[in-house]
Amino acid sequence: MKKMNIISFLSLFLSLVFSIATASSDLGLYPGYYDRVCPEALPTIKRVVEYAVAQERRMGASLLRLHFHDCFVNGCDASILLDQTSTIDSEKNAAPNANSARGFEVIDKIKLEVDKVCGRPVVSCADILTVAARDSVVALGGPSWNVKLGRRDSTTASRTAADANIPSPFMDLPALIKNFQDQGLDEEDLVVLSGAHTLGFAQCRTFRDRIYSDTNIDPAFASHLRTICPQVGSESSLAPLDPTPGSFDVKYFTDLVSKKGLLRSDQALFNGGKTDELVSEYNGDQNEFFEDFAESMIKMGDIKPLTGNRGQVRNNCRKVN
């Protein structure tokens, strides 16, 4: 009888340990989240991203930007992917995203392929966005990092929060610092994550005021941009954010030091303020930039994730199940 009691006790004890371990893993994010349920998930995401970037290098910047714009609105929960409905005010219609955010069809393709290899929808759209951002950076010559996984998808979106929380290209340094602090990110995160602007392009409407009004800009640079972006019209005309918009490098920081930041919010990082030193450091040390960028991307990916029983794994990234 005593032996049976000991066995029962041990059995109960092991069950409790397993339950606690399971609960702990449910509450946090970790790189091996899909190792058992779908080991082919991450290689599949990588394959689709690499194909998309090979077709159009600009797509790498677009996928990276989607992850940023998702995380800054109520956390990294794939809310940016939800289409407009009678109950959802889509973040796609917010000022920072409307006629600007792109790459949604690539995310759809990834979701389709991942669900196919996994046999069912087990990989969240939020995790797909996070991994696709990393794989885009790698595909364009940037650093890699271990993406923590286990996010679930939101069932709501907020156009109002997107308008309020996504940093504006017109912000000065104090506003940028506060914007990032509101997300739990510090001044180093601000500078290094702004380095994502080593990729991609910006529309005329986002830099017109700078090239016609600002004084902290190289005159020849401003003159060239005025041929792309007249004072009236051409709202969507594109200019590269740095001289090598399809390569992940430190040219963005080189431009800031030379007063050739395309956006007002870019040049604000090197304009006699407290972040000048960091910009100079990254300009002179690509390895340091790569290392710090990876760390800050992991930190950003930790912003208010839905885990455990919160949220859902969407069957279609564009709509709630």
PDB file of all heavy atoms in Angstrom, residues 34-50:
ATOM      1  N   TYR A  34       8.740  25.511 -32.990  1.00  0.00           N
ATOM      2  CA  TYR A  34       8.130  24.655 -34.019  1.00  0.00           C
ATOM      3  C   TYR A  34       8.957  23.407 -34.338  1.00  0.00           C
ATOM      4  O   TYR A  34       8.611  22.661 -35.259  1.00  0.00           O
ATOM      5  CB  TYR A  34       7.910  25.461 -35.310  1.00  0.00           C
ATOM      6  CG  TYR A  34       6.936  26.594 -35.144  1.00  0.00           C
ATOM      7  CD1 TYR A  34       7.385  27.921 -35.149  1.00  0.00           C
ATOM      8  CD2 TYR A  34       5.574  26.364 -34.966  1.00  0.00           C
ATOM      9  CE1 TYR A  34       6.494  28.976 -34.984  1.00  0.00           C
ATOM     10  CE2 TYR A  34       4.680  27.408 -34.800  1.00  0.00           C
ATOM     11  CZ  TYR A  34       5.142  28.719 -34.802  1.00  0.00           C
ATOM     12  OH  TYR A  34       4.250  29.749 -34.639  1.00  0.00           O
ATOM     13  N   ASP A  35      10.030  23.186 -33.600  1.00  0.00           N
ATOM     14  CA  ASP A  35      10.937  22.086 -33.927  1.00  0.00           C
ATOM     15  C   ASP A  35      10.237  20.734 -33.993  1.00  0.00           C
ATOM     16  O   ASP A  35      10.551  19.904 -34.846  1.00  0.00           O
ATOM     17  CB  ASP A  35      12.091  22.012 -32.912  1.00  0.00           C
ATOM     18  CG  ASP A  35      13.121  23.118 -33.147  1.00  0.00           C
ATOM     19  OD1 ASP A  35      12.946  23.885 -34.115  1.00  0.00           O
ATOM     20  OD2 ASP A  35      14.074  23.210 -32.355  1.00  0.00           O
ATOM     21  N   ARG A  36       9.303  20.501 -33.095  1.00  0.00           N
ATOM     22  CA  ARG A  36       8.617  19.204 -33.068  1.00  0.00           C
ATOM     23  C   ARG A  36       7.351  19.192 -33.898  1.00  0.00           C
ATOM     24  O   ARG A  36       7.081  18.239 -34.616  1.00  0.00           O
ATOM     25  CB  ARG A  36       8.271  18.832 -31.618  1.00  0.00           C
ATOM     26  CG  ARG A  36       9.497  18.433 -30.795  1.00  0.00           C
ATOM     27  CD  ARG A  36       9.093  17.830 -29.469  1.00  0.00           C
ATOM     28  NE  ARG A  36      10.248  17.379 -28.718  1.00  0.00           N
ATOM     29  CZ  ARG A  36      10.165  16.758 -27.545  1.00  0.00           C
ATOM     30  NH1 ARG A  36       8.987  16.526 -27.002  1.00  0.00           N
ATOM     31  NH2 ARG A  36      11.261  16.365 -26.923  1.00  0.00           N
ATOM     32  N   VAL A  37       6.557  20.280 -33.800  1.00  0.00           N
ATOM     33  CA  VAL A  37       5.258  20.266 -34.488  1.00  0.00           C
ATOM     34  C   VAL A  37       5.392  20.456 -35.993  1.00  0.00           C
ATOM     35  O   VAL A  37       4.570  19.954 -36.760  1.00  0.00           O
ATOM     36  CB  VAL A  37       4.298  21.329 -33.912  1.00  0.00           C
ATOM     37  CG1 VAL A  37       3.893  20.966 -32.506  1.00  0.00           C
ATOM     38  CG2 VAL A  37       4.904  22.719 -33.958  1.00  0.00           C
ATOM     39  N   CYS A  38       6.443  21.182 -36.419  1.00  0.00           N
ATOM     40  CA  CYS A  38       6.637  21.386 -37.861  1.00  0.00           C
ATOM     41  C   CYS A  38       8.060  21.833 -38.148  1.00  0.00           C
ATOM     42  O   CYS A  38       8.322  23.024 -38.349  1.00  0.00           O
ATOM     43  CB  CYS A  38       5.630  22.403 -38.403  1.00  0.00           C
ATOM     44  SG  CYS A  38       5.692  22.529 -40.213  1.00  0.00           S
ATOM     45  N   PRO A  39       9.004  20.889 -38.173  1.00  0.00           N
ATOM     46  CA  PRO A  39      10.413  21.252 -38.396  1.00  0.00           C
ATOM     47  C   PRO A  39      10.690  21.890 -39.753  1.00  0.00           C
ATOM     48  O   PRO A  39      11.714  22.554 -39.925  1.00  0.00           O
ATOM     49  CB  PRO A  39      11.143  19.910 -38.259  1.00  0.00           C
ATOM     50  CG  PRO A  39      10.110  18.866 -38.471  1.00  0.00           C
ATOM     51  CD  PRO A  39       8.831  19.444 -37.973  1.00  0.00           C
ATOM     52  N   GLU A  40       9.788  21.746 -40.716  1.00  0.00           N
ATOM     53  CA  GLU A  40       9.992  22.323 -42.044  1.00  0.00           C
ATOM     54  C   GLU A  40       9.466  23.755 -42.160  1.00  0.00           C
ATOM     55  O   GLU A  40       9.592  24.375 -43.221  1.00  0.00           O
ATOM     56  CB  GLU A  40       9.312  21.448 -43.105  1.00  0.00           C
ATOM     57  CG  GLU A  40      10.018  20.119 -43.359  1.00  0.00           C
ATOM     58  CD  GLU A  40      11.468  20.340 -43.787  1.00  0.00           C
ATOM     59  OE1 GLU A  40      11.696  21.117 -44.731  1.00  0.00           O
ATOM     60  OE2 GLU A  40      12.362  19.765 -43.148  1.00  0.00           O
ATOM     61  N   ALA A  41       8.896  24.278 -41.075  1.00  0.00           N
ATOM     62  CA  ALA A  41       8.273  25.602 -41.141  1.00  0.00           C
ATOM     63  C   ALA A  41       9.285  26.691 -41.499  1.00  0.00           C
ATOM     64  O   ALA A  41       9.080  27.450 -42.451  1.00  0.00           O
ATOM     65  CB  ALA A  41       7.595  25.925 -39.811  1.00  0.00           C
ATOM     66  N   LEU A  42      10.371  26.776 -40.744  1.00  0.00           N
ATOM     67  CA  LEU A  42      11.336  27.858 -40.975  1.00  0.00           C
ATOM     68  C   LEU A  42      12.056  27.744 -42.317  1.00  0.00           C
ATOM     69  O   LEU A  42      12.211  28.764 -43.015  1.00  0.00           O
ATOM     70  CB  LEU A  42      12.330  27.945 -39.817  1.00  0.00           C
ATOM     71  CG  LEU A  42      11.935  28.932 -38.702  1.00  0.00           C
ATOM     72  CD1 LEU A  42      10.604  28.539 -38.061  1.00  0.00           C
ATOM     73  CD2 LEU A  42      13.018  29.025 -37.636  1.00  0.00           C
ATOM     74  N   PRO A  43      12.493  26.548 -42.733  1.00  0.00           N
ATOM     75  CA  PRO A  43      13.090  26.442 -44.072  1.00  0.00           C
ATOM     76  C   PRO A  43      12.125  26.850 -45.187  1.00  0.00           C
ATOM     77  O   PRO A  43      12.551  27.403 -46.200  1.00  0.00           O
ATOM     78  CB  PRO A  43      13.455  24.957 -44.178  1.00  0.00           C
ATOM     79  CG  PRO A  43      13.640  24.503 -42.769  1.00  0.00           C
ATOM     80  CD  PRO A  43      12.626  25.284 -41.986  1.00  0.00           C
ATOM     81  N   THR A  44      10.828  26.601 -44.979  1.00  0.00           N
ATOM     82  CA  THR A  44       9.831  26.967 -45.985  1.00  0.00           C
ATOM     83  C   THR A  44       9.687  28.485 -46.076  1.00  0.00           C
ATOM     84  O   THR A  44       9.629  29.059 -47.174  1.00  0.00           O
ATOM     85  CB  THR A  44       8.474  26.328 -45.656  1.00  0.00           C
ATOM     86  OG1 THR A  44       8.623  24.900 -45.622  1.00  0.00           O
ATOM     87  CG2 THR A  44       7.420  26.693 -46.697  1.00  0.00           C
ATOM     88  N   ILE A  45       9.640  29.152 -44.916  1.00  0.00           N
ATOM     89  CA  ILE A  45       9.569  30.618 -44.909  1.00  0.00           C
ATOM     90  C   ILE A  45      10.782  31.195 -45.629  1.00  0.00           C
ATOM     91  O   ILE A  45      10.659  32.082 -46.486  1.00  0.00           O
ATOM     92  CB  ILE A  45       9.496  31.155 -43.466  1.00  0.00           C
ATOM     93  CG1 ILE A  45       8.210  30.686 -42.783  1.00  0.00           C
ATOM     94  CG2 ILE A  45       9.575  32.691 -43.468  1.00  0.00           C
ATOM     95  CD1 ILE A  45       8.120  31.022 -41.307  1.00  0.00           C
ATOM     96  N   LYS A  46      11.950  30.668 -45.308  1.00  0.00           N
ATOM     97  CA  LYS A  46      13.195  31.147 -45.910  1.00  0.00           C
ATOM     98  C   LYS A  46      13.158  30.996 -47.433  1.00  0.00           C
ATOM     99  O   LYS A  46      13.539  31.910 -48.178  1.00  0.00           O
ATOM    100  CB  LYS A  46      14.372  30.363 -45.328  1.00  0.00           C
ATOM    101  CG  LYS A  46      15.751  30.805 -45.811  1.00  0.00           C
ATOM    102  CD  LYS A  46      16.834  30.073 -45.003  1.00  0.00           C
ATOM    103  CE  LYS A  46      18.234  30.551 -45.369  1.00  0.00           C
ATOM    104  NZ  LYS A  46      18.710  29.990 -46.624  1.00  0.00           N
ATOM    105  N   ARG A  47      12.675  29.861 -47.902  1.00  0.00           N
ATOM    106  CA  ARG A  47      12.635  29.599 -49.343  1.00  0.00           C
ATOM    107  C   ARG A  47      11.739  30.605 -50.065  1.00  0.00           C
ATOM    108  O   ARG A  47      12.113  31.152 -51.110  1.00  0.00           O
ATOM    109  CB  ARG A  47      12.144  28.165 -49.584  1.00  0.00           C
ATOM    110  CG  ARG A  47      11.909  27.817 -51.047  1.00  0.00           C
ATOM    111  CD  ARG A  47      11.608  26.340 -51.239  1.00  0.00           C
ATOM    112  NE  ARG A  47      10.491  25.864 -50.423  1.00  0.00           N
ATOM    113  CZ  ARG A  47       9.207  26.053 -50.725  1.00  0.00           C
ATOM    114  NH1 ARG A  47       8.875  26.735 -51.821  1.00  0.00           N
ATOM    115  NH2 ARG A  47       8.259  25.561 -49.949  1.00  0.00           N
ATOM    116  N   VAL A  48      10.552  30.870 -49.511  1.00  0.00           N
ATOM    117  CA  VAL A  48       9.617  31.791 -50.165  1.00  0.00           C
ATOM    118  C   VAL A  48      10.155  33.226 -50.129  1.00  0.00           C
ATOM    119  O   VAL A  48      10.058  33.962 -51.115  1.00  0.00           O
ATOM    120  CB  VAL A  48       8.220  31.716 -49.512  1.00  0.00           C
ATOM    121  CG1 VAL A  48       7.263  32.698 -50.192  1.00  0.00           C
ATOM    122  CG2 VAL A  48       7.653  30.296 -49.603  1.00  0.00           C
ATOM    123  N   VAL A  49      10.757  33.616 -48.998  1.00  0.00           N
ATOM    124  CA  VAL A  49      11.324  34.960 -48.894  1.00  0.00           C
ATOM    125  C   VAL A  49      12.463  35.143 -49.893  1.00  0.00           C
ATOM    126  O   VAL A  49      12.533  36.156 -50.603  1.00  0.00           O
ATOM    127  CB  VAL A  49      11.818  35.249 -47.459  1.00  0.00           C
ATOM    128  CG1 VAL A  49      12.660  36.526 -47.414  1.00  0.00           C
ATOM    129  CG2 VAL A  49      10.638  35.369 -46.504  1.00  0.00           C
ATOM    130  N   GLU A  50      13.351  34.169 -49.954  1.00  0.00           N
ATOM    131  CA  GLU A  50      14.491  34.269 -50.882  1.00  0.00           C
ATOM    132  C   GLU A  50      14.016  34.375 -52.326  1.00  0.00           C
ATOM    133  O   GLU A  50      14.581  35.153 -53.108  1.00  0.00           O
ATOM    134  CB  GLU A  50      15.410  33.061 -50.716  1.00  0.00           C
ATOM    135  CG  GLU A  50      16.233  33.114 -49.434  1.00  0.00           C
ATOM    136  CD  GLU A  50      17.139  31.909 -49.257  1.00  0.00           C
ATOM    137  OE1 GLU A  50      16.900  30.872 -49.932  1.00  0.00           O
ATOM    138  OE2 GLU A  50      18.070  31.986 -48.447  1.00  0.00           O
TER     139      GLU A  50
END
